[in-house]
Amino acid sequence: MPSLREIRGRIRSARNIQQITKAMKMVAAARLRRAQDRMLGARPYAALIAALLRDSVGREDAAAHPLLRARPAAAAGTGTLRLVVLTADKGLCGAFNVNVLRRAVQILREQGDKRKVEVVAVGRKGRDFFQHFGVPLAGQATGAIDAAAALGLARDQIEAYSSGAVDEVLLVGTEFASVISLRPQVARLLPFDLASVGADGAAGDPPAATAPPSYEPSRASVFAELVPRAVEAQVWRALLESQACEFAARMTAMDNASRNSKELITSLTLYANRIRQAVITKEIAELVGGAEALK
Amino acid sequence: MKTFLLDIVTPDGPAFQGPVERLVLPAAEGLLGVLPGHEPLVASMRPGPLHYEVDGKVEWMAVSGGFAQIGPSKVVLLVETAEASGAIDQARARARAEQKRNALEGARRGRADVALIEASLMKELARLKVAEKAPRP
């Protein structure tokens, strides 16, 4: 039987852990709110720019832009596939990183023997994971998520695709449906998938088209500029979405941890009290026994 | 006075939304004025100052490049950034424009990306111009 002091020590450490997890939950909740605002702000822009693109494509030849044209190699399941895997820099956020990585590994397994698959890791957790298992990285990005970093990431992918080094680019990330519903998601980034960006016209719809619009300076030049912008917007949106999911996952995980430590403290306290009573009972029995013997 | 709906959307969220009477925006090939009932037009935009009129009052805003989607009763501007004149610090905008100008000089001598720096200089000049339009406090 453990001594009373040992158990009191365990209660103390459980209480300390609870304080830390509670604080982490609070921090995650505050950052989640900010991340959610940023994410909701980015959604209309991405949706509107995709809608504008879709609108212009409807009147244009669908294969008018190299970033929209599917490569025969990708259609045949050969060539080079690039996965951009969005994870967090830090752990302690439940299954968030694991879910994304599991999905990425699944694709690696399915596609690996058919075509060359390369990985771009965003977030320290993903980078460490692939390095540990000896998967060569075609690129990586860690640290704070800001517009400049997203732009750089998007431009790298566009460049790799345009140069012909890569035939298809997939984004593996997490979609934020609600705080308790975070879904790992695979979306095609390049060739740009016009159908993938849902038209959630929450912030307003594009102007109703009464007649086909004219383009200035010219249709081709607007189009050439529009496609990369749409790709950039999608990357930015996916990054913000992943970040919001990370904080939501951490908040839930830390809430569970706080609750578990509370349970642990309750049962340990009960156990400590039982031991304390057993000790008292034993002492009384000894006293009585001793008094009997003196008679 | 007749109005149309102006919607300025950036990746950081909506920057402006509301009815305006007149809009002048920096299109790729020069300033473009928009009045209610404009024919449908999609124009690419360069960084620069834009202004619109609400109730006879002119508001200025600095925008970076993007697209304008113009319809008869609604205009949507998709731009990378949009800053209202009151939100820009004039002194800092001037300092940054100066810095970009010097960077451009350096880039012309070297072989750095001139187009990129030129674009950011245009953006800073737009911010400076808009900052000067801000009502004196």
Side-chain angles (χ1 to χ4, degrees), chain A residues 41-42 44-45 48-49 52 203-208 210-217 222 225-226 229 232 236, chain B residues 7 9-13 17 27-29 39-44 65-67 69 71-72 74 76 78-80:
Chain A
Y45 180 81
L48 279 169
I49 212 159
L52 177 58
D205 311 298
T210 46
S214 41
Y215 291 83
E216 199 189 286
V222 167
E225 230 184 297
L226 188 55
R229 284 289 164 94
E232 286 160 20
W236 175 232
Chain B
D7 210 344
V9 186
T10 75
D12 295 321
Q17 194 168 26
E29 293 190 326
E39 64 153 6
L41 172 71
V42 175
S44 50
F67 304 93
Q69 208 178 353
K74 185 167 182 181
V76 177
L78 294 164
V79 288
E80 292 285 299

mmCIF file of all heavy atoms in Angstrom, chain A residues 41-42 44-45 48-49 52 203-208 210-217 222 225-226 229 232 236, chain B residues 7 9-13 17 27-29 39-44 65-67 69 71-72 74 76 78-80:
data_model
loop_
_atom_site.group_PDB
_atom_site.id
_atom_site.type_symbol
_atom_site.label_atom_id
_atom_site.label_comp_id
_atom_site.label_asym_id
_atom_site.label_seq_id
_atom_site.Cartn_x
_atom_site.Cartn_y
_atom_site.Cartn_z
ATOM 1 N N GLY A 41 -12.973 36.134 -42.800
ATOM 2 C CA GLY A 41 -12.676 37.281 -43.650
ATOM 3 C C GLY A 41 -12.128 36.862 -44.995
ATOM 4 O O GLY A 41 -12.392 37.492 -46.017
ATOM 5 N N ALA A 42 -11.340 35.773 -45.001
ATOM 6 C CA ALA A 42 -10.697 35.347 -46.241
ATOM 7 C C ALA A 42 -11.645 34.585 -47.148
ATOM 8 O O ALA A 42 -11.429 34.513 -48.348
ATOM 9 C CB ALA A 42 -9.483 34.474 -45.917
ATOM 10 N N PRO A 44 -14.878 35.089 -48.283
ATOM 11 C CA PRO A 44 -15.558 35.758 -49.396
ATOM 12 C C PRO A 44 -14.616 36.107 -50.534
ATOM 13 O O PRO A 44 -14.977 35.969 -51.700
ATOM 14 C CB PRO A 44 -16.126 37.042 -48.770
ATOM 15 C CG PRO A 44 -15.937 36.936 -47.326
ATOM 16 C CD PRO A 44 -15.065 35.777 -47.019
ATOM 17 N N TYR A 45 -13.386 36.553 -50.202
ATOM 18 C CA TYR A 45 -12.437 36.923 -51.253
ATOM 19 C C TYR A 45 -12.144 35.720 -52.140
ATOM 20 O O TYR A 45 -12.212 35.812 -53.359
ATOM 21 C CB TYR A 45 -11.155 37.451 -50.611
ATOM 22 C CG TYR A 45 -10.090 37.858 -51.584
ATOM 23 C CD1 TYR A 45 -10.137 39.103 -52.201
ATOM 24 C CD2 TYR A 45 -9.041 37.007 -51.899
ATOM 25 C CE1 TYR A 45 -9.164 39.492 -53.093
ATOM 26 C CE2 TYR A 45 -8.058 37.381 -52.793
ATOM 27 C CZ TYR A 45 -8.124 38.624 -53.394
ATOM 28 O OH TYR A 45 -7.157 38.991 -54.281
ATOM 29 N N LEU A 48 -15.256 34.818 -54.199
ATOM 30 C CA LEU A 48 -15.594 35.769 -55.259
ATOM 31 C C LEU A 48 -14.601 35.688 -56.413
ATOM 32 O O LEU A 48 -14.982 35.790 -57.578
ATOM 33 C CB LEU A 48 -15.629 37.198 -54.706
ATOM 34 C CG LEU A 48 -16.921 37.576 -53.975
ATOM 35 C CD1 LEU A 48 -16.751 38.885 -53.242
ATOM 36 C CD2 LEU A 48 -18.065 37.676 -54.963
ATOM 37 N N ILE A 49 -13.313 35.495 -56.050
ATOM 38 C CA ILE A 49 -12.315 35.458 -57.123
ATOM 39 C C ILE A 49 -12.477 34.171 -57.930
ATOM 40 O O ILE A 49 -12.337 34.165 -59.160
ATOM 41 C CB ILE A 49 -10.888 35.630 -56.542
ATOM 42 C CG1 ILE A 49 -10.025 36.368 -57.556
ATOM 43 C CG2 ILE A 49 -10.243 34.323 -56.184
ATOM 44 C CD1 ILE A 49 -8.822 37.016 -56.947
ATOM 45 N N LEU A 52 -15.494 34.732 -60.170
ATOM 46 C CA LEU A 52 -15.136 35.579 -61.309
ATOM 47 C C LEU A 52 -14.397 34.756 -62.365
ATOM 48 O O LEU A 52 -14.653 34.863 -63.554
ATOM 49 C CB LEU A 52 -14.253 36.742 -60.828
ATOM 50 C CG LEU A 52 -13.701 37.712 -61.866
ATOM 51 C CD1 LEU A 52 -14.824 38.345 -62.645
ATOM 52 C CD2 LEU A 52 -12.850 38.770 -61.197
ATOM 53 N N ALA A 203 -20.844 37.001 -48.366
ATOM 54 C CA ALA A 203 -20.520 38.418 -48.283
ATOM 55 C C ALA A 203 -21.104 39.196 -49.450
ATOM 56 O O ALA A 203 -20.842 40.371 -49.606
ATOM 57 C CB ALA A 203 -19.010 38.606 -48.261
ATOM 58 N N GLY A 204 -21.896 38.553 -50.261
ATOM 59 C CA GLY A 204 -22.458 39.262 -51.390
ATOM 60 C C GLY A 204 -22.099 38.536 -52.668
ATOM 61 O O GLY A 204 -21.122 37.815 -52.743
ATOM 62 N N ASP A 205 -22.924 38.723 -53.665
ATOM 63 C CA ASP A 205 -22.725 38.032 -54.920
ATOM 64 C C ASP A 205 -22.060 38.978 -55.897
ATOM 65 O O ASP A 205 -22.087 40.189 -55.722
ATOM 66 C CB ASP A 205 -24.075 37.563 -55.460
ATOM 67 C CG ASP A 205 -24.859 36.837 -54.382
ATOM 68 O OD1 ASP A 205 -24.368 35.802 -53.927
ATOM 69 O OD2 ASP A 205 -25.929 37.338 -53.986
ATOM 70 N N PRO A 206 -21.463 38.412 -56.921
ATOM 71 C CA PRO A 206 -20.934 39.283 -57.959
ATOM 72 C C PRO A 206 -22.086 40.003 -58.643
ATOM 73 O O PRO A 206 -23.236 39.562 -58.552
ATOM 74 C CB PRO A 206 -20.230 38.304 -58.902
ATOM 75 C CG PRO A 206 -20.732 36.958 -58.563
ATOM 76 C CD PRO A 206 -21.210 37.006 -57.158
ATOM 77 N N PRO A 207 -21.790 41.100 -59.322
ATOM 78 C CA PRO A 207 -22.857 41.843 -59.987
ATOM 79 C C PRO A 207 -23.586 40.946 -60.976
ATOM 80 O O PRO A 207 -22.958 40.179 -61.686
ATOM 81 C CB PRO A 207 -22.109 42.953 -60.726
ATOM 82 C CG PRO A 207 -20.766 43.020 -60.115
ATOM 83 C CD PRO A 207 -20.471 41.684 -59.528
ATOM 84 N N ALA A 208 -24.897 41.046 -60.981
ATOM 85 C CA ALA A 208 -25.684 40.231 -61.896
ATOM 86 C C ALA A 208 -25.292 40.575 -63.328
ATOM 87 O O ALA A 208 -25.213 41.743 -63.699
ATOM 88 C CB ALA A 208 -27.165 40.504 -61.685
ATOM 89 N N THR A 210 -26.001 41.045 -66.893
ATOM 90 C CA THR A 210 -27.107 41.213 -67.825
ATOM 91 C C THR A 210 -26.621 40.912 -69.236
ATOM 92 O O THR A 210 -27.379 40.459 -70.078
ATOM 93 C CB THR A 210 -27.641 42.650 -67.772
ATOM 94 O OG1 THR A 210 -26.511 43.537 -67.795
ATOM 95 C CG2 THR A 210 -28.428 42.881 -66.511
ATOM 96 N N ALA A 211 -25.334 41.175 -69.445
ATOM 97 C CA ALA A 211 -24.729 40.923 -70.747
ATOM 98 C C ALA A 211 -23.313 40.461 -70.490
ATOM 99 O O ALA A 211 -22.773 40.713 -69.431
ATOM 100 C CB ALA A 211 -24.723 42.211 -71.577
ATOM 101 N N PRO A 212 -22.714 39.744 -71.434
ATOM 102 C CA PRO A 212 -21.318 39.358 -71.218
ATOM 103 C C PRO A 212 -20.464 40.605 -71.044
ATOM 104 O O PRO A 212 -20.602 41.562 -71.792
ATOM 105 C CB PRO A 212 -20.950 38.600 -72.507
ATOM 106 C CG PRO A 212 -22.132 38.641 -73.385
ATOM 107 C CD PRO A 212 -23.272 39.256 -72.674
ATOM 108 N N PRO A 213 -19.607 40.613 -70.007
ATOM 109 C CA PRO A 213 -18.827 41.810 -69.747
ATOM 110 C C PRO A 213 -17.719 41.986 -70.783
ATOM 111 O O PRO A 213 -17.308 41.030 -71.424
ATOM 112 C CB PRO A 213 -18.230 41.536 -68.371
ATOM 113 C CG PRO A 213 -18.186 40.061 -68.259
ATOM 114 C CD PRO A 213 -19.330 39.532 -69.072
ATOM 115 N N SER A 214 -17.282 43.220 -70.933
ATOM 116 C CA SER A 214 -16.066 43.431 -71.705
ATOM 117 C C SER A 214 -14.891 43.412 -70.740
ATOM 118 O O SER A 214 -15.080 43.531 -69.530
ATOM 119 C CB SER A 214 -16.140 44.764 -72.444
ATOM 120 O OG SER A 214 -16.703 45.744 -71.619
ATOM 121 N N TYR A 215 -13.705 43.240 -71.267
ATOM 122 C CA TYR A 215 -12.535 43.110 -70.414
ATOM 123 C C TYR A 215 -11.543 44.212 -70.722
ATOM 124 O O TYR A 215 -11.375 44.599 -71.878
ATOM 125 C CB TYR A 215 -11.872 41.737 -70.639
ATOM 126 C CG TYR A 215 -12.709 40.590 -70.131
ATOM 127 C CD1 TYR A 215 -13.724 40.063 -70.918
ATOM 128 C CD2 TYR A 215 -12.494 40.065 -68.871
ATOM 129 C CE1 TYR A 215 -14.506 39.020 -70.460
ATOM 130 C CE2 TYR A 215 -13.265 39.026 -68.404
ATOM 131 C CZ TYR A 215 -14.280 38.501 -69.200
ATOM 132 O OH TYR A 215 -15.035 37.481 -68.735
ATOM 133 N N GLU A 216 -10.914 44.712 -69.656
ATOM 134 C CA GLU A 216 -9.926 45.753 -69.851
ATOM 135 C C GLU A 216 -8.665 45.398 -69.073
ATOM 136 O O GLU A 216 -8.788 45.010 -67.913
ATOM 137 C CB GLU A 216 -10.487 47.092 -69.359
ATOM 138 C CG GLU A 216 -9.737 48.269 -69.917
ATOM 139 C CD GLU A 216 -10.157 49.564 -69.245
ATOM 140 O OE1 GLU A 216 -11.260 50.030 -69.552
ATOM 141 O OE2 GLU A 216 -9.394 50.081 -68.428
ATOM 142 N N PRO A 217 -7.467 45.465 -69.587
ATOM 143 C CA PRO A 217 -7.109 45.886 -70.934
ATOM 144 C C PRO A 217 -7.536 44.880 -72.009
ATOM 145 O O PRO A 217 -7.922 45.296 -73.089
ATOM 146 C CB PRO A 217 -5.583 45.984 -70.902
ATOM 147 C CG PRO A 217 -5.136 45.501 -69.576
ATOM 148 C CD PRO A 217 -6.310 45.213 -68.750
ATOM 149 N N VAL A 222 -6.413 39.952 -68.481
ATOM 150 C CA VAL A 222 -7.138 39.833 -67.219
ATOM 151 C C VAL A 222 -7.084 38.386 -66.743
ATOM 152 O O VAL A 222 -6.805 38.090 -65.578
ATOM 153 C CB VAL A 222 -8.616 40.274 -67.379
ATOM 154 C CG1 VAL A 222 -9.441 39.859 -66.176
ATOM 155 C CG2 VAL A 222 -8.708 41.769 -67.579
ATOM 156 N N GLU A 225 -3.779 37.179 -65.334
ATOM 157 C CA GLU A 225 -3.510 37.700 -63.998
ATOM 158 C C GLU A 225 -4.413 37.046 -62.960
ATOM 159 O O GLU A 225 -4.035 36.846 -61.814
ATOM 160 C CB GLU A 225 -3.776 39.201 -64.008
ATOM 161 C CG GLU A 225 -2.662 40.032 -63.434
ATOM 162 C CD GLU A 225 -3.083 41.481 -63.408
ATOM 163 O OE1 GLU A 225 -3.325 42.047 -64.505
ATOM 164 O OE2 GLU A 225 -3.213 42.024 -62.306
ATOM 165 N N LEU A 226 -5.619 36.720 -63.417
ATOM 166 C CA LEU A 226 -6.640 36.231 -62.492
ATOM 167 C C LEU A 226 -6.330 34.832 -61.960
ATOM 168 O O LEU A 226 -6.528 34.548 -60.779
ATOM 169 C CB LEU A 226 -7.988 36.235 -63.226
ATOM 170 C CG LEU A 226 -9.256 35.939 -62.450
ATOM 171 C CD1 LEU A 226 -9.369 36.882 -61.275
ATOM 172 C CD2 LEU A 226 -10.453 36.085 -63.358
ATOM 173 N N ARG A 229 -3.848 34.627 -59.068
ATOM 174 C CA ARG A 229 -4.462 35.248 -57.886
ATOM 175 C C ARG A 229 -5.426 34.283 -57.199
ATOM 176 O O ARG A 229 -5.503 34.215 -55.974
ATOM 177 C CB ARG A 229 -5.238 36.522 -58.279
ATOM 178 C CG ARG A 229 -4.364 37.707 -58.575
ATOM 179 C CD ARG A 229 -3.720 38.269 -57.324
ATOM 180 N NE ARG A 229 -2.610 39.138 -57.651
ATOM 181 C CZ ARG A 229 -2.717 40.462 -57.785
ATOM 182 N NH1 ARG A 229 -3.860 41.051 -57.588
ATOM 183 N NH2 ARG A 229 -1.677 41.184 -58.103
ATOM 184 N N GLU A 232 -3.424 31.760 -55.301
ATOM 185 C CA GLU A 232 -2.909 32.364 -54.073
ATOM 186 C C GLU A 232 -4.000 32.473 -53.015
ATOM 187 O O GLU A 232 -3.776 32.177 -51.838
ATOM 188 C CB GLU A 232 -2.348 33.767 -54.365
ATOM 189 C CG GLU A 232 -1.024 33.764 -55.088
ATOM 190 C CD GLU A 232 -0.736 35.089 -55.776
ATOM 191 O OE1 GLU A 232 -1.351 36.123 -55.397
ATOM 192 O OE2 GLU A 232 0.079 35.095 -56.694
ATOM 193 N N TRP A 236 -4.000 30.769 -49.235
ATOM 194 C CA TRP A 236 -4.179 31.617 -48.044
ATOM 195 C C TRP A 236 -5.367 31.135 -47.218
ATOM 196 O O TRP A 236 -5.317 31.002 -46.007
ATOM 197 C CB TRP A 236 -4.348 33.062 -48.523
ATOM 198 C CG TRP A 236 -4.656 34.106 -47.499
ATOM 199 C CD1 TRP A 236 -5.678 35.001 -47.535
ATOM 200 C CD2 TRP A 236 -3.918 34.407 -46.304
ATOM 201 N NE1 TRP A 236 -5.623 35.822 -46.448
ATOM 202 C CE2 TRP A 236 -4.568 35.487 -45.668
ATOM 203 C CE3 TRP A 236 -2.783 33.865 -45.696
ATOM 204 C CZ2 TRP A 236 -4.120 36.033 -44.467
ATOM 205 C CZ3 TRP A 236 -2.342 34.408 -44.502
ATOM 206 C CH2 TRP A 236 -3.000 35.468 -43.905
ATOM 207 N N ASP B 7 -18.583 47.213 -53.303
ATOM 208 C CA ASP B 7 -18.173 46.158 -52.386
ATOM 209 C C ASP B 7 -16.672 45.984 -52.570
ATOM 210 O O ASP B 7 -16.223 45.597 -53.637
ATOM 211 C CB ASP B 7 -18.908 44.862 -52.802
ATOM 212 C CG ASP B 7 -19.165 43.954 -51.624
ATOM 213 O OD1 ASP B 7 -18.529 44.156 -50.589
ATOM 214 O OD2 ASP B 7 -19.990 43.037 -51.786
ATOM 215 N N VAL B 9 -13.510 43.954 -51.379
ATOM 216 C CA VAL B 9 -13.189 42.730 -50.641
ATOM 217 C C VAL B 9 -11.682 42.465 -50.724
ATOM 218 O O VAL B 9 -11.100 42.519 -51.797
ATOM 219 C CB VAL B 9 -13.955 41.523 -51.232
ATOM 220 C CG1 VAL B 9 -13.746 40.298 -50.379
ATOM 221 C CG2 VAL B 9 -15.435 41.837 -51.342
ATOM 222 N N THR B 10 -11.071 42.198 -49.572
ATOM 223 C CA THR B 10 -9.652 41.837 -49.534
ATOM 224 C C THR B 10 -9.520 40.472 -48.864
ATOM 225 O O THR B 10 -10.461 39.998 -48.230
ATOM 226 C CB THR B 10 -8.831 42.858 -48.723
ATOM 227 O OG1 THR B 10 -9.091 42.657 -47.333
ATOM 228 C CG2 THR B 10 -9.170 44.278 -49.093
ATOM 229 N N PRO B 11 -8.335 39.844 -48.978
ATOM 230 C CA PRO B 11 -8.159 38.553 -48.291
ATOM 231 C C PRO B 11 -8.279 38.674 -46.773
ATOM 232 O O PRO B 11 -8.450 37.673 -46.085
ATOM 233 C CB PRO B 11 -6.736 38.131 -48.683
ATOM 234 C CG PRO B 11 -6.441 38.871 -49.925
ATOM 235 C CD PRO B 11 -7.188 40.150 -49.838
ATOM 236 N N ASP B 12 -8.164 39.895 -46.247
ATOM 237 C CA ASP B 12 -8.300 40.071 -44.795
ATOM 238 C C ASP B 12 -9.733 40.379 -44.393
ATOM 239 O O ASP B 12 -10.009 40.609 -43.220
ATOM 240 C CB ASP B 12 -7.389 41.201 -44.307
ATOM 241 C CG ASP B 12 -5.931 40.844 -44.513
ATOM 242 O OD1 ASP B 12 -5.585 39.675 -44.308
ATOM 243 O OD2 ASP B 12 -5.154 41.734 -44.905
ATOM 244 N N GLY B 13 -10.630 40.408 -45.355
ATOM 245 C CA GLY B 13 -12.031 40.686 -45.043
ATOM 246 C C GLY B 13 -12.542 41.848 -45.864
ATOM 247 O O GLY B 13 -11.796 42.474 -46.601
ATOM 248 N N GLN B 17 -18.438 48.403 -47.860
ATOM 249 C CA GLN B 17 -19.643 47.902 -48.497
ATOM 250 C C GLN B 17 -20.723 48.951 -48.315
ATOM 251 O O GLN B 17 -20.986 49.363 -47.186
ATOM 252 C CB GLN B 17 -20.066 46.582 -47.855
ATOM 253 C CG GLN B 17 -21.086 45.822 -48.646
ATOM 254 C CD GLN B 17 -21.255 44.397 -48.139
ATOM 255 O OE1 GLN B 17 -20.988 44.137 -46.965
ATOM 256 N NE2 GLN B 17 -21.696 43.488 -48.979
ATOM 257 N N ALA B 27 -7.454 51.679 -62.876
ATOM 258 C CA ALA B 27 -7.423 50.484 -63.729
ATOM 259 C C ALA B 27 -6.042 50.360 -64.354
ATOM 260 O O ALA B 27 -5.229 51.277 -64.276
ATOM 261 C CB ALA B 27 -8.495 50.589 -64.802
ATOM 262 N N ALA B 28 -5.794 49.213 -64.956
ATOM 263 C CA ALA B 28 -4.454 48.928 -65.476
ATOM 264 C C ALA B 28 -4.012 49.979 -66.497
ATOM 265 O O ALA B 28 -2.839 50.288 -66.611
ATOM 266 C CB ALA B 28 -4.430 47.537 -66.093
ATOM 267 N N GLU B 29 -4.963 50.563 -67.241
ATOM 268 C CA GLU B 29 -4.566 51.493 -68.301
ATOM 269 C C GLU B 29 -5.018 52.910 -68.021
ATOM 270 O O GLU B 29 -5.311 53.673 -68.931
ATOM 271 C CB GLU B 29 -5.121 51.003 -69.630
ATOM 272 C CG GLU B 29 -4.460 49.706 -70.030
ATOM 273 C CD GLU B 29 -4.799 49.302 -71.446
ATOM 274 O OE1 GLU B 29 -5.932 49.589 -71.867
ATOM 275 O OE2 GLU B 29 -3.942 48.684 -72.084
ATOM 276 N N GLU B 39 -21.860 49.733 -68.070
ATOM 277 C CA GLU B 39 -21.982 48.450 -68.766
ATOM 278 C C GLU B 39 -21.077 47.413 -68.081
ATOM 279 O O GLU B 39 -20.077 47.775 -67.468
ATOM 280 C CB GLU B 39 -21.576 48.610 -70.241
ATOM 281 C CG GLU B 39 -20.129 48.979 -70.407
ATOM 282 C CD GLU B 39 -19.558 48.507 -71.731
ATOM 283 O OE1 GLU B 39 -20.303 47.989 -72.560
ATOM 284 O OE2 GLU B 39 -18.344 48.659 -71.920
ATOM 285 N N PRO B 40 -21.439 46.124 -68.159
ATOM 286 C CA PRO B 40 -20.637 45.093 -67.505
ATOM 287 C C PRO B 40 -19.194 45.114 -68.001
ATOM 288 O O PRO B 40 -18.959 45.148 -69.203
ATOM 289 C CB PRO B 40 -21.317 43.785 -67.901
ATOM 290 C CG PRO B 40 -22.698 44.175 -68.270
ATOM 291 C CD PRO B 40 -22.627 45.570 -68.800
ATOM 292 N N LEU B 41 -18.257 45.108 -67.052
ATOM 293 C CA LEU B 41 -16.845 45.216 -67.411
ATOM 294 C C LEU B 41 -16.018 44.532 -66.331
ATOM 295 O O LEU B 41 -16.314 44.651 -65.144
ATOM 296 C CB LEU B 41 -16.462 46.697 -67.506
ATOM 297 C CG LEU B 41 -14.976 47.039 -67.690
ATOM 298 C CD1 LEU B 41 -14.520 46.659 -69.092
ATOM 299 C CD2 LEU B 41 -14.723 48.520 -67.444
ATOM 300 N N VAL B 42 -15.017 43.797 -66.754
ATOM 301 C CA VAL B 42 -14.051 43.258 -65.809
ATOM 302 C C VAL B 42 -12.713 43.914 -66.129
ATOM 303 O O VAL B 42 -12.255 43.839 -67.260
ATOM 304 C CB VAL B 42 -13.930 41.722 -65.928
ATOM 305 C CG1 VAL B 42 -12.824 41.216 -65.012
ATOM 306 C CG2 VAL B 42 -15.254 41.070 -65.575
ATOM 307 N N ALA B 43 -12.134 44.604 -65.153
ATOM 308 C CA ALA B 43 -10.892 45.324 -65.403
ATOM 309 C C ALA B 43 -9.861 44.908 -64.372
ATOM 310 O O ALA B 43 -10.182 44.710 -63.209
ATOM 311 C CB ALA B 43 -11.118 46.830 -65.324
ATOM 312 N N SER B 44 -8.613 44.777 -64.809
ATOM 313 C CA SER B 44 -7.578 44.560 -63.809
ATOM 314 C C SER B 44 -7.115 45.930 -63.301
ATOM 315 O O SER B 44 -7.181 46.930 -64.015
ATOM 316 C CB SER B 44 -6.426 43.724 -64.359
ATOM 317 O OG SER B 44 -5.979 44.247 -65.567
ATOM 318 N N GLY B 65 -2.977 46.136 -56.280
ATOM 319 C CA GLY B 65 -3.549 45.563 -57.487
ATOM 320 C C GLY B 65 -4.640 44.531 -57.233
ATOM 321 O O GLY B 65 -4.721 43.944 -56.163
ATOM 322 N N GLY B 66 -5.458 44.317 -58.238
ATOM 323 C CA GLY B 66 -6.549 43.361 -58.106
ATOM 324 C C GLY B 66 -7.464 43.463 -59.318
ATOM 325 O O GLY B 66 -7.011 43.772 -60.418
ATOM 326 N N PHE B 67 -8.751 43.229 -59.082
ATOM 327 C CA PHE B 67 -9.699 43.215 -60.176
ATOM 328 C C PHE B 67 -10.958 43.984 -59.806
ATOM 329 O O PHE B 67 -11.363 43.998 -58.654
ATOM 330 C CB PHE B 67 -10.092 41.776 -60.530
ATOM 331 C CG PHE B 67 -8.905 40.943 -60.861
ATOM 332 C CD1 PHE B 67 -8.280 40.194 -59.887
ATOM 333 C CD2 PHE B 67 -8.385 40.949 -62.136
ATOM 334 C CE1 PHE B 67 -7.159 39.440 -60.183
ATOM 335 C CE2 PHE B 67 -7.267 40.208 -62.447
ATOM 336 C CZ PHE B 67 -6.658 39.459 -61.476
ATOM 337 N N GLN B 69 -14.943 44.176 -60.847
ATOM 338 C CA GLN B 69 -16.022 43.501 -61.557
ATOM 339 C C GLN B 69 -17.193 44.474 -61.535
ATOM 340 O O GLN B 69 -17.788 44.706 -60.490
ATOM 341 C CB GLN B 69 -16.359 42.217 -60.816
ATOM 342 C CG GLN B 69 -16.925 41.133 -61.663
ATOM 343 C CD GLN B 69 -17.196 39.882 -60.859
ATOM 344 O OE1 GLN B 69 -16.842 39.797 -59.691
ATOM 345 N NE2 GLN B 69 -17.838 38.914 -61.478
ATOM 346 N N GLY B 71 -20.818 46.027 -62.738
ATOM 347 C CA GLY B 71 -22.134 45.775 -63.296
ATOM 348 C C GLY B 71 -22.970 47.031 -63.182
ATOM 349 O O GLY B 71 -22.545 48.007 -62.560
ATOM 350 N N PRO B 72 -24.161 47.049 -63.753
ATOM 351 C CA PRO B 72 -24.983 48.270 -63.761
ATOM 352 C C PRO B 72 -25.373 48.753 -62.358
ATOM 353 O O PRO B 72 -25.465 49.955 -62.128
ATOM 354 C CB PRO B 72 -26.212 47.882 -64.575
ATOM 355 C CG PRO B 72 -26.105 46.431 -64.850
ATOM 356 C CD PRO B 72 -24.737 45.954 -64.529
ATOM 357 N N LYS B 74 -24.004 47.212 -59.358
ATOM 358 C CA LYS B 74 -23.094 46.760 -58.326
ATOM 359 C C LYS B 74 -21.678 46.654 -58.858
ATOM 360 O O LYS B 74 -21.474 46.267 -60.016
ATOM 361 C CB LYS B 74 -23.548 45.381 -57.804
ATOM 362 C CG LYS B 74 -22.704 44.912 -56.641
ATOM 363 C CD LYS B 74 -23.324 43.736 -55.943
ATOM 364 C CE LYS B 74 -22.441 43.353 -54.762
ATOM 365 N NZ LYS B 74 -22.926 42.226 -54.020
ATOM 366 N N VAL B 76 -17.879 45.114 -57.636
ATOM 367 C CA VAL B 76 -17.084 44.387 -56.650
ATOM 368 C C VAL B 76 -15.613 44.590 -56.981
ATOM 369 O O VAL B 76 -15.184 44.341 -58.101
ATOM 370 C CB VAL B 76 -17.421 42.877 -56.667
ATOM 371 C CG1 VAL B 76 -16.524 42.135 -55.685
ATOM 372 C CG2 VAL B 76 -18.876 42.651 -56.312
ATOM 373 N N LEU B 78 -11.949 43.299 -56.062
ATOM 374 C CA LEU B 78 -11.168 42.265 -55.379
ATOM 375 C C LEU B 78 -9.726 42.747 -55.373
ATOM 376 O O LEU B 78 -9.057 42.727 -56.402
ATOM 377 C CB LEU B 78 -11.292 40.942 -56.135
ATOM 378 C CG LEU B 78 -12.684 40.331 -56.142
ATOM 379 C CD1 LEU B 78 -12.804 39.275 -57.211
ATOM 380 C CD2 LEU B 78 -13.016 39.749 -54.794
ATOM 381 N N VAL B 79 -9.257 43.210 -54.227
ATOM 382 C CA VAL B 79 -7.911 43.775 -54.149
ATOM 383 C C VAL B 79 -7.143 43.121 -53.007
ATOM 384 O O VAL B 79 -7.731 42.612 -52.053
ATOM 385 C CB VAL B 79 -7.943 45.304 -53.945
ATOM 386 C CG1 VAL B 79 -8.390 45.990 -55.213
ATOM 387 C CG2 VAL B 79 -8.846 45.690 -52.793
ATOM 388 N N GLU B 80 -5.818 43.147 -53.138
ATOM 389 C CA GLU B 80 -4.968 42.525 -52.110
ATOM 390 C C GLU B 80 -5.060 43.281 -50.792
ATOM 391 O O GLU B 80 -5.174 42.685 -49.736
ATOM 392 C CB GLU B 80 -3.515 42.485 -52.592
ATOM 393 C CG GLU B 80 -3.281 41.551 -53.763
ATOM 394 C CD GLU B 80 -3.295 40.090 -53.338
ATOM 395 O OE1 GLU B 80 -2.462 39.700 -52.524
ATOM 396 O OE2 GLU B 80 -4.167 39.344 -53.832
#
